[in-house]
Amino acid sequence: MTEHFHLNTPLLESVSMSKCAGTTVYLKMENSQPSGSFKIRGIGHMCQQLATQSKGVVCSSGGNAGMAAAYAARQMGVPATIVVPSSSPQVVIQRLQDQGAAVKVIGKVWDDANAEALRLAESEGLTYVPPFDHPLLWQGHASIMSEVAASLGPGVKPGAVVLSVGGGGLLCGVVQGLKDVGWAEVPVIAMETVGADCLNAAVKAGRVVTLDDITSEAKCLGAKTVCRQAFEYSQNGETPVLSELVTDEQALHAVETFLNEERVLVEMACGATLAAVYTGLVHRLQQEGRLPTPLRPLLLIVCGGSSIDVEQLNNLRNKLRT
């Protein structure tokens, strides 16, 4: 069996984004993982720890976590059942089936699908793979930062890390990874879209809250409740977490700009990260004194996305721009 299922992904400098941000921008290209997103790091790690002798794995996911679980299960030769909400695009269901997974469509949002996944784990003796809330996942995701530190080399430390938050698994992994490489004080800009903003809502309320509904088109950010560990990190960790929002329109515009400039198509969830640069949000944080000026290099985690293709991009344009 391979040591792990994820790749050491490229770290690229973006000249156009650097110009826009006024500092060097590095892109950690997690979209080039075999499952299409960073999720394979944590989910691959978890499956190797827990599922080698399993009757099968079950995962609830509107996209990327399911793709990662299906990929890892296929590599390990165990069956995978992926439970998705009805909001998942057909392209995702098809890709999951292509990986050899059985797909069940249950409920309207991820929380509904997750209840069914937990039921199946119990009734059929399957290994439950959560999409974001588990220490083994965060441990796997933390590997992003050790790769970045190795790529940048000694003496180069980012001024901030920009990432998207759905349920908070990537945030937990990156904060852990920053500690692992001795960069605990580097701030993390945690991006969400309006309408899929469970971390931002929790930060404003001072406690973990559950959103009434997911109204954003960034369906892969669509957890109604952020994981407690991500919230804890946002409150009192040694790593500053800046919770910020962009609109769906801004996230979509970022997806299109990135496609034009970098020739890479990512999904709306990832567009939220890119929008931190394209909308001038980073400059605003500097003006407010929440980020230093001048700023050391910015690291953007291009988290990826298996739920986007040209047809889906056109659908989003039609929905958001009519």
Side-chain angles (χ1 to χ4, degrees), residues 62-64 85 87-89 109-110 164-167 191-198 211 213-224 245-253 255 266-273 275 303-305 307-308 312 315-316 319-320:
N64 295 312
S87 57
S88 305
V109 291
W110 171 78
S164 294
V165 174
M191 300 297 299
E192 294 174 289
T193 50
V194 175
D197 46 358
C198 60
L211 302 176
D213 196 12
I214 302 298
T215 54
S216 168
E217 290 300 325
K219 298 301 179 197
C220 287
L221 297 183
K224 292 196 325 198
L245 297 180
V246 289
T247 63
D248 275 2
E249 290 78 5
Q250 287 171 320
L252 176 60
H253 182 256
V255 167
V266 293
E267 67 189 25
M268 288 268 288
C270 186
T273 290
C303 48
S307 68
I308 188 99
Q312 188 65 16
N315 290 345
L316 288 165
K319 266 186 187 168
L320 295 173

Side-chain angles (χ1 to χ4, degrees), residues 108-318:
K108 184 172 159 258
V109 291
W110 171 78
D111 303 70
D112 305 331
N114 192 47
E116 174 65 8
L118 287 166
R119 191 191 68 75
L120 286 171
E122 187 68 31
S123 63
E124 298 185 23
L126 304 176
T127 302
Y128 171 69
V129 178
F132 53 81
D133 196 358
H134 197 285
L136 285 172
L137 300 179
W138 312 331
Q139 209 177 354
H141 299 332
S143 59
I144 291 178
M145 295 316 304
S146 43
E147 286 175 19
V148 169
S151 298
L152 291 177
V156 186
K157 184 194 291 191
V161 181
V162 189
L163 52 77
S164 294
V165 174
L170 178 58
L171 174 61
C172 292
V174 165
V175 171
Q176 194 174 321
L178 284 167
K179 287 183 179 143
D180 294 345
V181 299
W183 292 347
E185 77 291 355
V186 171
V188 175
I189 306 172
M191 300 297 299
E192 294 174 289
T193 50
V194 175
D197 46 358
C198 60
L199 173 64
N200 192 262
V203 168
K204 284 177 179 155
R207 60 187 170 81
V208 174
V209 294
T210 299
L211 302 176
D212 293 336
D213 196 12
I214 302 298
T215 54
S216 168
E217 290 300 325
K219 298 301 179 197
C220 287
L221 297 183
K224 292 196 325 198
T225 316
V226 75
C227 71
R228 176 156 295 283
Q229 182 62 69
F231 173 70
E232 300 286 336
Y233 281 143
S234 77
Q235 292 303 289
N236 48 18
E238 49 189 319
T239 300
V241 175
L242 312 178
S243 170
E244 295 293 328
L245 297 180
V246 289
T247 63
D248 275 2
E249 290 78 5
Q250 287 171 320
L252 176 60
H253 182 256
V255 167
E256 293 173 321
T257 310
F258 196 68
L259 179 58
N260 289 336
E261 290 184 352
E262 310 294 336
R263 299 161 308 285
V264 175
L265 179 60
V266 293
E267 67 189 25
M268 288 268 288
C270 186
T273 290
L274 306 172
V277 170
Y278 292 135
T279 62
L281 185 137
V282 171
H283 289 304
R284 174 170 68 72
L285 291 172
Q286 287 178 287
Q287 284 159 4
E288 291 171 1
R290 295 167 70 201
L291 285 178
T293 308
L295 188 62
R296 290 195 309 267
L298 262 185
L299 170 66
L300 269 62
I301 298 178
V302 182
C303 48
S306 42
S307 68
I308 188 99
D309 56 15
V310 173
E311 188 185 352
Q312 188 65 16
L313 181 61
N314 287 331
N315 290 345
L316 288 165
R317 285 174 172 147
N318 293 335

Side-chain angles (χ1 to χ4, degrees), residues 93-117:
I93 293 169
Q94 188 56 57
R95 283 179 185 164
L96 287 167
Q97 289 168 338
D98 291 347
Q99 286 284 357
V103 181
K104 289 187 78 165
V105 182
I106 302 281
K108 184 172 159 258
V109 291
W110 171 78
D111 303 70
D112 305 331
N114 192 47
E116 174 65 8

